[in-house]
Amino acid sequence: MSYLFTVSPDFTPVHLSGWYIFNTWLQRQSGSPIHLEMYNDFPTQRLAIHNDQVDLIFANPFDAAMLVREKGFLPLVKAAGVSDEAIIAVRADSAVEDVAHLSPGITVAVTEDPDVTMMGMIMLEAGDLNAGNVETTIFDTYVLVAKNLLNDSADVGIFLAEAYDDLSSIVKKQLKILVRSQISVIHHSLMVGPKLADRRDEIQALLLSMAEDDKGKDILKSLGFDNWVKVDDEDMEFMIDLMEALAT
Amino acid sequence: MIQDMKPEDIIGDYKETLLDLYGSICRVVLYTDIETPYPDGKLIVSTTDKNGIITHVNKSFVEMSGYTEAELINAPHSILRHPDMPPAAFKDLWDTVNRGEKWQGFVKNLRKDGGYYWVKATVIPNIRHGEVVSYTSVRRKPSRTKVDECIKLYPTLF
Ligand SMILES: Cc1cc2nc3c(=O)[nH]c(=O)nc-3n(C[C@H](O)[C@H](O)[C@H](O)COP(=O)(O)O)c2cc1C
């Protein structure tokens, strides 16, 4: 029997090959067959989780509560120095300088990233905007969010900060950041499901020593960070509480 | 613990009043008309034990309150209590979280330097192994419209 590993569908495309290399490394190190399945979107991934098909996941913080409380997942690690942050941006030539200048009825361009959209909407709330009085349009990628701001079909974009920073400089020159979140405690986490629960400590130890050799270091680099950091049960519970506090 | 506010800590002209806190403590409170704007993009987070004694604060909390982390830890959360806040708001907060539910409201907080800042607060019970072990408050930037409504409403609640 092989285990199924999946990554939150919001991973940056440049890191796709990195996840496959990481999966191969993990199979060798753990001596267990692990199959990496990259789902195209959150609904498909959630259905697989619901059907108990997933054993290992690099999860979006938004799904953490469901994974831990309903599906018995346990946290292992998070990426060192990486947190999920959101950016609210408008066109550079817009007269708007603060979210307080935005009016109900505007069009907000987002992606399906559930935690980024949530953080973005919280920042818009300071301008009396909410899901009930704005028009939300969902795009597949942050590049499309940017394009739709530039061609005037959206007034405001909600970006994952990392994705915004990765936009080309030509695009960024035509955009203006209104707010960048500095939350720092909301992050993706690698977690194991019930079938791997008895191997949690072993897998966690493998991951935490991954940066000790050159091969491991290279793989981490291809994922976009330098090391893993332990996430214990209380760290995870605290993040779930924060997400719950922010959910409305 | 909680101490009287000291004139040497205060910035600007201040008024003085006495607040009954935490059932028994009587605190001399000095407060000014100086508002510190909520920092964009940040969350102000704190955790208390079941009695409302602060056990954890984040960096934004420390910066906005004007106290050091050491002054905040082990102090009752009413160290931030502003005289313009109606007691009914905090009664509602405690009644709600004691039922195991989430509370949301707009709060005017008092800084160590006598100034104030408005927040939109969400307080939730931290439940571990089926039991409430502590409470966490997460504050975000409030809209000006909501703050203006509270400025009109709160004086009517005393
Ligand atoms: C998690 C948590 C956070 C709180 N945050 C604040 C706060 O920011 N400002 C405040 O005045 N009271 C806050 N309170 C309420 C105080 O505990 C207290 O009830 C209030 O300041 C009124 O003081 P008193 O109950 O001593 O009369 C908080 C309570 C909890 C449980």
Side-chain angles (χ1 to χ4, degrees):
Chain A
M1 195 201 65
S2 93
Y3 297 107
L4 193 142
F5 172 37
T6 185
V7 175
S8 175
D10 55 28
F11 66 88
T12 5
V14 292
H15 298 139
L16 178 62
S17 61
W19 285 110
Y20 279 97
I21 304 166
F22 171 74
N23 187 57
T24 308
W25 177 89
L26 193 58
Q27 291 199 74
R28 289 230 180 91
Q29 297 290 317
S30 65
S32 303
I34 303 168
H35 167 71
L36 175 60
E37 182 77 45
M38 294 301 230
Y39 297 101
N40 281 328
D41 49 47
F42 282 95
T44 326
Q45 185 176 79
R46 286 191 192 125
L47 187 65
I49 297 165
H50 178 77
N51 292 334
D52 298 326
Q53 289 163 346
V54 174
D55 304 305
L56 192 65
I57 183 169
F58 189 61
N60 186 287
F62 202 84
D63 290 331
M66 177 266 289
L67 286 161
V68 171
R69 297 196 176 152
E70 291 165 36
K71 289 293 174 183
F73 274 71
L74 302 166
L76 298 171
V77 290
K78 64 177 177 179
V82 183
S83 62
D84 294 13
E85 302 292 349
I87 279 178
I88 303 284
V90 294
R91 269 185 310 285
D93 60 10
S94 162
V96 172
E97 297 289 344
D98 187 301
V99 293
H101 301 153
L102 296 165
S103 313
I106 56 163
T107 302
V108 181
V110 301
T111 67
E112 274 195 334
D113 273 20
D115 70 323
V116 175
T117 305
M118 183 190 81
M119 292 188 276
M121 291 307 292
I122 282 175
M123 295 193 280
L124 289 179
E125 200 188 313
D128 286 311
L129 301 171
N130 57 62
N133 67 11
V134 299
E135 202 68 56
T136 317
T137 323
I138 302 173
F139 296 100
D140 280 342
T141 65
Y142 288 111
V143 171
L144 285 173
V145 170
K147 275 198 180 139
N148 279 273
L149 280 178
L150 295 185
N151 73 17
D152 246 347
S153 47
D155 303 297
V156 173
I158 297 178
F159 294 85
L160 171 69
E162 193 189 338
Y164 184 94
D165 294 337
D166 283 347
L167 293 170
S168 76
S169 53
I170 307 167
V171 172
K172 271 188 286 192
K173 256 190 214 128
Q174 299 173 73
L175 295 174
K176 172 164 67 180
I177 297 178
L178 295 184
V179 202
R180 177 191 283 265
S181 76
Q182 291 167 267
I183 296 172
S184 81
V185 280
I186 292 175
H187 53 79
H188 280 56
S189 317
L190 193 59
M191 301 199 218
V192 280
K195 271 187 259 165
L196 282 170
D198 58 344
R199 298 186 61 186
R200 176 197 198 182
D201 293 348
E202 175 203 339
I203 298 172
Q204 197 172 45
L206 284 173
L207 295 164
L208 292 174
S209 59
M210 191 171 175
E212 283 167 19
D213 68 83
D214 289 344
K215 181 111 199 293
K217 237 185 235 154
D218 283 347
I219 298 168
L220 286 167
K221 213 168 149 198
S222 66
L223 290 174
F225 45 88
D226 296 331
N227 208 347
W228 294 110
V229 179
K230 183 175 175 173
V231 178
D232 64 27
D233 289 332
E234 179 51 31
D235 297 334
M236 180 52 73
E237 289 294 332
F238 191 67
M239 190 183 76
I240 291 173
D241 282 343
L242 285 182
M243 294 298 289
E244 194 200 319
L246 295 175
T248 47
Chain B
M1 277 322 275
I2 219 163
Q3 283 164 4
D4 289 343
M5 292 176 75
K6 300 187 199 80
E8 60 265 33
D9 290 332
I10 308 302
I11 298 172
D13 294 338
Y14 61 86
K15 284 184 259 181
E16 183 171 335
T17 189
L18 277 177
L19 280 182
D20 282 321
L21 296 176
Y22 211 61
S24 55
I25 311 165
C26 192
R27 187 188 199 199
V28 173
V29 164
L30 312 176
Y31 60 110
T32 73
D33 287 335
I34 303 168
E35 177 166 11
T36 301
Y38 192 103
D40 267 332
K42 294 194 181 178
L43 296 177
I44 300 176
V45 183
S46 63
T47 299
T48 71
D49 66 13
K50 291 211 278 185
N51 298 316
I53 303 294
I54 299 173
T55 55
H56 161 87
V57 289
N58 74 349
K59 203 167 139 238
S60 302
F61 189 110
V62 174
E63 285 166 6
M64 282 302 277
S65 71
Y67 291 97
T68 64
E69 184 168 346
E71 287 171 315
L72 292 165
I73 302 294
N74 292 325
H77 217 308
S78 41
I79 189 167
L80 300 189
R81 169 79 202 281
H82 196 284
D84 292 348
M85 279 301 293
F90 297 115
K91 182 177 185 317
D92 183 47
L93 182 163
W94 281 102
D95 287 349
T96 307
V97 295
N98 281 333
R99 286 195 304 269
E101 292 166 20
K102 167 152 106 179
W103 181 87
Q104 268 186 337
F106 295 87
V107 180
K108 183 177 187 176
N109 274 328
L110 179 63
R111 290 164 52 91
K112 185 181 180 178
D113 67 9
Y116 67 91
Y117 57 101
W118 280 96
V119 301
K120 177 180 175 181
T122 306
V123 184
I124 56 159
N126 303 118
I127 299 164
R128 302 289 182 267
H129 310 290
E131 269 184 50
V132 175
V133 295
S134 51
Y135 299 106
T136 294
S137 177
V138 183
R139 295 103 179 155
R140 56 184 96 164
K141 184 173 177 172
S143 83
R144 205 62 227 175
T145 332
K146 292 281 194 266
V147 169
D148 289 343
E149 281 170 27
C150 293
I151 291 172
K152 283 208 192 87
L153 174 70
Y154 285 176
T156 69
L157 300 179
F158 280 86

